[in-house]
Each structure stands twice: as structure tokens, then as C-alpha cells.
Amino acid sequence: MAKDTFAVPELTPYTEIPKIQPGVMAHSAPFKAKEEFQTPLGYPGELVEDWQQKAIAKMGELLGKYRSLRVYLDACVKCGACTDKCHYFLGTSDPKNMPVGRQDLMRKVYRRYFTLAGKLFPKLVGAVDLTEEVLNDWYSYYHQCSQCRRCSVFCPYGIDTAEISMAAREIMDSIGVGQKYCNEIIGKVYKVGNNLGLPGPALRDTLQGLEEDVYDATGVRVRYPIDEEGAEILLVTPSADFFAEPHIDGLIGYGKVFHEAGVSWTLSSYASEAANFGMFIGSYENMRRIALRIREAALQLKVKRIIFGECGHAWRVAYSFLNTLAGPWDFLDPRYPVPQHICEFTYDLIQQGKLTFDKSENDDKVITFHDSCNVARASRMGNVPGGQFEIPRAIIRATCNHFYDMDEDTIRDRTFCCGGGGGLLTDDLMELRVKGAKPRMDALNNVMQEKGVTHMAAICAICKTQFSKVLPYYGMEMDQVLSLHQLVSNAIVLTRRTADDDEAQDGLDDED
Amino acid sequence: MALLTNFYAFLFYFAAFVLVAGLTRKIIQYAVTPAPLKIPTTPAPTTRWGVVLRMVREVVLFESLFRGNKWTWIFGWTFHFGLFLVTLRHLRYFIEPVPFPIQLIQPFGIYGGIAMVIGLAGLWSRRFLVDRLRYISAPSDHLMLALLLGIGCTGLLMKFAFHVDVVEIKTFFQGLYRYDIQPLPADPLLLLHLLLVALLMIIFPFSKLLHAPGLFFSPTRNQVDNPREQRHLAPWAKRLEH
Ligand code: SF4
Ligand code: SF4
């Protein structure tokens, strides 16, 4: 990998609002998707001939399909309340990373082609033609938005820049200008079933390995089943959970929780991915195609419930969109919401007193919790608003003795993005990822100094991967980020024994 | 003088038409455009009633803006609330007989006018003083503030410095209802005030003033957070199912 050529920002006690520096991030753009990654998704392989016309036409189509886009392009009054809310602006100082600055890249084109004022007096209202220069700006800056929706919290009209970024990416894809990372990954899901391209046999091997590891560590046969027809629960989890640190510790934890609950469950090699990158590229069709795989797997395996593992945007797509995209789910057990989050499942068991924890197992750590954007601002857990904030914290408190929240302005619905969401978790955007993480790093560093926090738990595969990579840039250790269910896994007291254990136990008894 | 009166009469007919037709067109457009996915910004209410409350807080208190930026909130809220009082006060020109509450509100309307001008001045100065706001401001953003400030200042001047004959103004507007054009006092300040108001009405449906109806159609604010309980399917998305 090329040596980094940028300066890592200094951490500060409070994340200060920088003076604007126009254009400093114009160079930051992800690799473009080549034909082989574009066509499986239904997009042209390279920039089409009459791209300008096609892009405008696509924009018109989206304006007719999405009320959000239409209203948000009209309604902004340039009040500026969002200008200092984006972690990418705070980390880079580039004014086109201010949410309204980012929206304006599309808004000025919208005004030119779709509004009377922009057609008659372009200069007056800041309308411009869709030139190549503008397209380049779109490609750079719409790929500097992690679609975290922090801006939408503070806007008086709820204008959601994520909606505009998604539309922009869909328009660019439709004229052949796609982002390699996202589109390649979606292609892998279609071909192999998951983002990492792990085929069924590799998954089975990994899971078998996990069973052995857990048995060695605990003496209990916790199962990690895959493709088991007739299981009660289908677990859909990000594929990173199958092999990467710290994700895999989370998967181990889910298995232990299921074991203690005494329910049968299974993974699916066909729907071996919870993430749905169709959302990042704003493509309803691709998002739907990916979501339908879960429906097929559920039907095939004849499960009764669906539970999602720890992943932020996957949970957004699952919680908010799965019913829309791949419903109705009337063939599942109506006593449970479809789908459920693993945290909801674990929390319910804790509420019922069905799990026993030895909190001291986590005493070597002082924990803080990172609310992932898509969970915090685009989904829910449990049945009251804000359950997505309370449930993970309740689980941490049940499993750890030492927990401190970061500064109020940086958690819950004000949480800062890890800097790698929205399909930006790619090495070609390292500068953006490091700078965009600064507000989160400031807040983390503060609780480390003030409260002696040692670890940060997260419930999103992207957050975990991003932090593992970015923490060292700020002088911290990559293993300071944890899966929430890793804490559960450490503290859970395994009581339920399976027939296998009893046999093993008998064997031991005989030896006496 | 007849010429001037006729011009203003025509201007207000035209402005009212553009305002109503333009806004209706936009509102219909917003209403018929589907919202294919549930995208409320959470924590969001899980009931219709909760959404109504959320919306009321946004409209009356500017709740999100309050969280977003205190200065903008102070000036923005002062301006809008002032404008609201001023509008109530002005109803006496358009309604006969004047209802009792509107009579009561008259003195507050004047404070409203002052508040409106202070709020606008604050908002405008931020556009120059804060580098981020300077960057995002187009000429039209400045002009809009100038227009509103012009309306507020001419109005206050008529109240405090150069009085005009309010009875005649009322007669003029009452006459417009019946296509019976009555003479308008040829007071330059009044004419300027009315011209600016008509201009505001005309550009309303083509400008960022669409934020007013837009707020009610914003899916992040007006949607109920219940996607697991209820399937939400847009007509165009439904067609993909077959
Ligand atoms: S907060 Fe909303 S209205 Fe204000 S500038 Fe940002 S997007 Fe526009
Ligand atoms: S959605 Fe997040 S990343 Fe995108 S502009 Fe808003 S705050 Fe920035």
C-alpha cells in the first residue's frame, strides 16, 4: 500500500469548528468501477456518450419517485444549522463537506434544469449546468458522505443529505460512473452470497473451528450451525463476523446466547450476509435483490424467526426496509417482530432472568459505547422510541462493571460516524477515513483521559473494521474496539448442557 | 392617480393568483410523489399522534433548529414569531368587521414588527460574519432577506414616522374582493411597502420559501416509525413485485 501522504489531525478536548478551506478534499475520490463490476448490477460499463442528458433524465425520474429528494432540494433555506455537523467537514475543513455544501452540488443542477428561477436567472439563485467539472465534484464529494444522517437531526426541515448522496450515486451509476468498492461487493453477494466472497465450505470450516475453540475454552459444546433446515431462528450477520477480529468474538457471543436460550438456530450459506450495499449506492432495485435472498433462505430453511447480527446499516435495511423490500413475512411466527436484532434477543433474555453473567470476567476493561449512525438515527430496537440507545447500554451494564458514556453531544442521536460508513471503507479513501474519524476520536480520547476508559464497544461491522484501522493513526491500539457480544461472550455463564457434553462428562466420570 | 391604483389592483390580483396557483401546484407535486421507504430520523414517534406532536414542536418551537444552532434559532424564531404577530395585526385590513382577538393583538403586532426586523438583521449579519454561511449564500439568499427587511422597515416607518391613511387602505383591499377598485393613497412609503409584499407573494412558490409547505412533507419528520408492524410499499415499487 502506498505511504500515507496526509497529516493526521491533532486530537483536541473539544472538536472545534474549523475555518473553511475550499477544495482541500477535491482530490479525494474512490476508484471507479470497471465494466466487470458495473454490468452485473445493471449499469453501463463506462461513461455513456450522452451522459449529460441521461443524467438529467435520471434525475427527473428520481424526483418523481422519491418525495424526499424533491422536497429536500426545494426546502433548504441555507440557515447553516447543519454546516458544522458533519464529521467529514469537522475533520477536513472542506466546505463541500458541509451537509448543505454537499447538497448544493446537486441542488444547483436541479435548479438549472428543473426550476423556473434557475432556468431564467441561474446566477441569481446559484444554478449551474451539469458540466464535467460538476460531475467530478459529485464523484468526489458524494463519496465523502457516509450517509450517517447526523445532519438531518439538526436541520429544521429534517433535510437528509444521505438521501441526496444516494440519489447522486444512483445517477452516476446509471451513466457508467460507479464506485468500485461498493459495486464489486454487491457483485460478490450475487455470485457467492456475501460481501467477502466466502463460499459455503469455507463458512462451514470456520464455524467448525469456532465450535472447537469454544469447547476448548469452556468445556461446553456450543453449536454454530449452518444450513440446518427446520431450525427456529435464521441468523443473518455481516460476513466479517466469520473471520475478522473483533467481529468473530461477537459471533461467538451470539452462539453462546442462543445456546443458553435453548433455541435452535442456523446460519445460511445462501444469505450469508446481513450487509446490503444496495443502500449505499441508492439503488432500490439492487437493495431489493439482496434482501430477497434472505426471504429465499428463510423459506428454504423453514425457519420461524429472523435475527440480525451486529451491523449498523444492515440493521437499518432490515428494520426499516426488509418488510417493504422482501415482505410480507406472514409465514414466520407472528409473536416476534420481523426481523429482530441480536441485542433485542439478548436483552429480552436478560429481562427474563434467563442469562447468568459473571461481570468480573470483563473487569480488565473500562468500557464506553459507540452508537453506530444507522442504528442510532435510522432504526430502532424494542418497542419504544430510543430503544436503540438503551438496549445496548443495558446489555453492557449487565455484563460489565465499568461503563462510561462519551460526551452527551457525541452519543445517541448526536453520535459521530466512525468515518467509514456509506461504502467509504476502502483503502483508497484512507485520508478521508482518518480525518473523518477525528470527532469520534476526540470524544473517545476524552473519556480515556478522564475516566480511564480502555475499550470501546460497537455494534456495527463497518465501525469495528474502521476503528481497528484508524485507531493506530491516533496513537491508540487497534484492539481497543470490541464487539458488544464479545462482552456478553466473556461474561456469560454457560449452564445448559447438551447431550454431547453429558457424554463427555460421563466419559470423565468413568475414568474416576 | 387612477393609473397607480389600477396598477396596484392588478398587481395584487396577479400576486395572489401566482401565490395560490404556484403553491397549490407544488403541494400537489409533493403529495403525489411517493415516499418509497420509511426514513424517519430516529428516535421517531411510533404513532400518528406522536408524529403530529413532533410536527407541532417543529412548527411552533423550531425544535431541531434549537438543537442545531442557538444563534440562528434566536434570530430565526424571533423573525418568524414577529412575522406571525404582524400578519395577525394586518388581518384588520382584510376582514370586516374586525374580530375581537384581532383588535386585542394590535399593539403586539407592533412589537412583532420590531422583533421581525431585529431577527432579520441578525440572520443577515450572520451571512456576512460566519465564513460557513458566507460560503453557502447565493445572491438570492441575500435578496430574500433584503426584501423581507424592506417590508418590515417600510411598515415600521409608516407606523412611527410617516403615517398613512389606514382607512383608505382598507377600503382599497375590501374593494378588491368585489372587483370594485377604490383609490389607493399615493403615499410613496406605502406604495413601496405594498410593492415589496406583492413581490414576495410572487416569488414565494419559486423560491426557498417553499420550506414552509416542505416541512410538512419531509419524510424524515412526518413518518411514523413502524416499519416492522406495517408494510410500506410505494406504487412504483409494487410493480417490481410481479
Ligand atoms: S440545516 Fe437544513 S435548511 Fe439549514 S442549511 Fe442545512 S440543509 Fe439547509
Ligand atoms: S449524512 Fe453524515 S456524512 Fe453525509 S453530509 Fe450528513 S453528516 Fe456528513
Side-chain angles (χ1 to χ4, degrees):
Chain A
M1 208 180 69
K3 210 170 156 331
D4 300 314
T5 52
F6 57 90
V8 178
E10 292 272 339
L11 293 182
T12 48
Y14 293 98
T15 304
E16 275 154 34
I17 308 169
K19 276 211 150 339
I20 60 169
Q21 295 184 48
V24 285
M25 286 303 280
H27 64 275
S28 168
F31 293 136
K32 290 206 174 118
K34 298 225 172 64
E35 187 159 3
E36 54 176 313
F37 303 128
Q38 287 283 96
T39 37
L41 278 59
Y43 300 124
E46 54 182 35
L47 190 62
V48 295
E49 274 290 318
D50 44 355
W51 62 271
Q52 200 189 24
Q53 241 179 316
K54 286 246 165 68
I56 303 297
K58 186 73 187 178
M59 193 165 164
E61 182 195 321
L62 296 182
L63 284 167
K65 276 176 148 179
Y66 291 91
R67 184 185 294 164
S68 50
L69 189 65
R70 174 134 253 160
V71 172
Y72 295 158
L73 287 177
D74 276 340
C76 175
V77 295
K78 310 292 169 71
C79 73
C82 62
T83 50
D84 55 347
K85 301 302 184 289
C86 179
H87 52 291
Y88 289 125
F89 170 68
L90 293 171
T92 67
S93 319
D94 192 315
K96 284 179 184 158
N97 277 331
M98 304 188 301
V100 49
R102 195 181 321 284
Q103 296 158 25
D104 275 353
L105 295 174
M106 184 182 286
R107 187 173 287 117
K108 55 195 187 181
V109 176
Y110 164 74
R111 285 195 169 147
R112 183 73 181 113
Y113 296 92
F114 296 94
T115 70
L116 190 70
K119 281 176 190 160
L120 297 178
F121 318 105
K123 286 254 163 53
L124 184 71
V125 296
V128 301
D129 291 335
L130 179 54
T131 57
E132 213 174 313
E133 203 187 327
V134 173
L135 181 66
N136 286 339
D137 260 4
W138 278 33
Y139 194 73
S140 288
Y141 291 102
Y142 284 120
H143 290 107
Q144 295 186 39
C145 172
S146 57
Q147 306 172 342
C148 77
R149 311 180 89 218
R150 190 166 194 264
C151 43
S152 83
V153 170
F154 301 96
C155 171
Y157 319 107
I159 294 177
D160 182 2
T161 315
E163 290 290 304
I164 296 174
S165 294
M166 289 171 191
R169 293 184 191 181
E170 167 80 344
I171 293 172
M172 289 189 283
D173 265 325
S174 77
I175 56 169
V177 186
Q179 188 228 27
K180 177 174 173 242
Y181 180 72
C182 280
N183 293 4
E184 185 180 359
I185 278 181
I186 295 173
K188 276 189 199 155
V189 172
Y190 292 153
K191 240 166 121 185
V192 191
N194 55 57
N195 288 3
L196 299 172
L198 301 168
L203 295 178
R204 258 180 292 275
D205 274 0
T206 310
L207 294 169
Q208 213 164 17
L210 282 190
E211 284 185 8
E212 281 157 24
D213 291 349
V214 173
Y215 183 70
D216 288 347
T218 64
V220 179
R221 285 247 171 251
V222 178
R223 300 198 57 232
Y224 292 86
I226 187 163
D227 292 333
E228 280 194 3
E229 215 180 285
E232 188 184 342
I233 294 170
L234 169 64
L235 175 75
V236 190
T237 206
S239 52
D241 282 1
F242 292 114
F243 89 119
E245 290 284 347
H247 315 248
I248 199 161
D249 302 292
L251 177 59
I252 293 174
Y254 318 152
K256 289 184 180 172
V257 172
F258 288 134
H259 178 91
E260 278 302 294
V263 292
S264 63
W265 66 285
T266 185
L267 292 149
S268 153
S269 59
Y270 180 69
S272 49
E273 180 62 67
N276 192 326
F277 278 37
M279 184 177 90
F280 295 155
I281 61 168
S283 165
Y284 192 99
E285 284 79 3
N286 279 295
M287 194 157 68
R288 180 165 179 272
R289 235 174 110 186
I290 298 170
L292 280 172
R293 299 176 73 88
I294 295 166
R295 182 187 186 84
E296 282 165 46
L299 284 168
Q300 239 171 42
L301 297 171
K302 305 195 174 64
V303 294
K304 296 266 169 299
R305 303 168 66 177
I306 299 177
I307 292 183
F308 271 71
E310 296 179 1
C311 182
H313 84 277
W315 180 237
R316 178 185 195 188
V317 178
Y319 171 85
S320 299
F321 309 154
L322 201 65
N323 203 4
T324 296
L325 297 169
W329 295 93
D330 39 18
F331 58 91
L332 297 175
D333 188 336
R335 286 175 300 168
Y336 306 101
V338 183
Q340 277 186 302
H341 193 281
I342 186 69
C343 285
E344 290 179 312
F345 184 81
T346 303
Y347 177 72
D348 280 350
L349 290 176
I350 295 175
Q351 293 296 92
Q352 295 164 25
K354 288 198 181 147
L355 298 182
T356 320
F357 295 111
D358 176 4
K359 292 192 191 190
S360 68
E361 291 290 337
N362 284 316
D363 271 354
D364 54 334
K365 305 178 195 69
V366 182
I367 306 289
T368 193
F369 179 64
H370 167 70
D371 291 277
S372 301
C373 318
N374 274 290
V375 176
R377 287 182 288 258
S379 76
R380 181 159 53 91
M381 289 179 199
N383 43 25
V384 290
Q388 71 271 35
F389 311 132
E390 303 316 323
I391 288 178
R393 285 178 171 78
I395 297 175
I396 297 179
R397 290 204 178 93
T399 55
C400 305
N401 282 316
H402 312 292
F403 168 70
Y404 296 100
D405 255 321
M406 289 179 275
D407 187 277
E408 270 304 314
D409 280 341
T410 74
I411 57 170
R412 300 176 199 265
D413 62 339
R414 301 180 193 216
T415 187
F416 275 113
C417 176
C418 62
L424 310 183
L425 193 74
T426 165
D427 282 342
D428 28 322
L429 295 178
M430 213 52 224
E431 175 180 5
L432 181 78
R433 287 170 55 186
V434 169
K435 291 182 172 172
K438 186 200 181 251
R440 176 40 82 225
M441 292 297 112
D442 281 339
L444 173 61
N445 189 42
N446 285 346
V447 278
M448 286 169 61
Q449 306 305 324
E450 286 161 18
K451 305 283 183 192
V453 161
T454 58
H455 290 81
M456 175 165 63
I459 49 171
C460 170
I462 287 177
C463 297
K464 292 172 209 166
T465 310
Q466 156 78 351
F467 286 133
S468 307
K469 184 89 186 207
V470 162
L471 282 167
Y473 280 88
Y474 289 96
M476 302 173 195
E477 305 294 328
M478 60 187 290
D479 55 13
Q480 282 183 264
V481 58
L482 302 174
S483 284
L484 180 75
H485 271 79
Q486 180 174 352
L487 299 170
V488 175
S489 173
N490 292 345
I492 198 165
V493 180
L494 294 174
T495 51
R496 268 176 199 276
R497 303 200 146 235
T498 58
D500 274 8
D501 297 329
D502 293 339
E503 259 168 50
Q505 197 62 43
D506 287 348
L508 289 177
D509 291 346
D510 289 348
E511 272 167 40
D512 288 343
Chain B
M1 237 14 14
L3 184 70
L4 205 63
T5 296
N6 282 336
F7 172 74
Y8 270 83
F10 170 78
L11 182 67
F12 271 92
Y13 282 132
F14 179 72
F17 170 76
V18 172
L19 180 71
V20 172
L23 269 185
T24 310
R25 182 182 144 265
K26 266 292 171 190
I27 287 173
I28 291 175
Q29 191 185 51
Y30 291 157
V32 302
T33 308
L37 294 167
K38 281 270 187 173
I39 57 164
T41 306
T42 56
T46 52
T47 58
R48 257 288 122 213
W49 180 233
V51 166
V52 171
L53 278 182
R54 180 186 207 178
M55 217 38 134
V56 167
R57 292 200 307 273
E58 285 297 347
V59 173
V60 179
L61 304 173
F62 299 6
E63 186 180 47
S64 297
L65 181 59
F66 182 79
R67 297 182 78 194
N69 188 300
K70 294 291 185 285
W71 283 112
T72 309
W73 181 83
I74 289 172
F75 291 131
W77 194 82
T78 307
F79 155 55
H80 281 87
F81 190 67
L83 180 63
F84 176 64
L85 289 178
V86 169
T87 311
L88 288 183
R89 179 182 154 91
H90 277 65
L91 283 182
R92 69 173 162 153
Y93 299 118
F94 305 97
I95 304 178
E96 184 56 46
V98 180
F100 186 61
I102 300 297
Q103 290 177 22
L104 273 188
I105 209 104
Q106 292 304 312
F108 299 102
I110 302 188
Y111 299 130
I114 298 170
M116 180 179 152
V117 167
I118 294 175
L120 286 167
L123 289 175
W124 204 359
S125 55
R126 281 181 58 78
R127 280 208 189 278
F128 290 105
L129 298 177
V130 181
D131 67 347
R132 307 190 305 280
L133 286 182
R134 211 181 314 133
Y135 180 87
I136 57 173
S137 301
S140 54
D141 297 309
H142 290 284
L143 281 177
M144 199 71 76
L145 285 163
L147 183 62
L148 285 162
L149 207 53
I151 292 171
C153 290
T154 48
L156 285 179
L157 277 177
M158 278 187 282
K159 174 66 206 164
F160 289 114
F162 311 98
H163 296 280
V164 290
D165 188 341
V166 290
V167 179
E168 274 187 64
I169 301 171
K170 180 156 184 169
T171 317
F172 172 76
F173 279 106
Q174 296 288 319
L176 289 186
Y177 293 159
R178 292 171 273 115
Y179 298 105
D180 170 16
I181 313 296
Q182 299 291 320
L184 187 65
D187 186 289
L189 213 50
L190 173 71
L191 294 179
L192 182 60
H193 185 70
L194 291 181
L195 182 73
L196 295 178
V197 171
L199 217 60
L200 186 71
M201 290 164 74
I202 291 167
I203 59 178
F204 198 111
F206 306 102
S207 67
K208 67 175 183 181
L209 299 180
L210 286 171
H211 68 276
L215 171 58
F216 296 94
F217 288 96
S218 171
T220 42
R221 292 289 182 266
N222 74 10
Q223 287 186 331
V224 184
D225 182 20
N226 62 354
R228 286 195 289 193
E229 291 76 21
Q230 265 177 42
R231 192 158 187 234
H232 173 89
L233 201 61
W236 67 260
K238 197 170 199 155
R239 284 194 289 276
L240 299 176
E241 304 229 315
H242 307 292

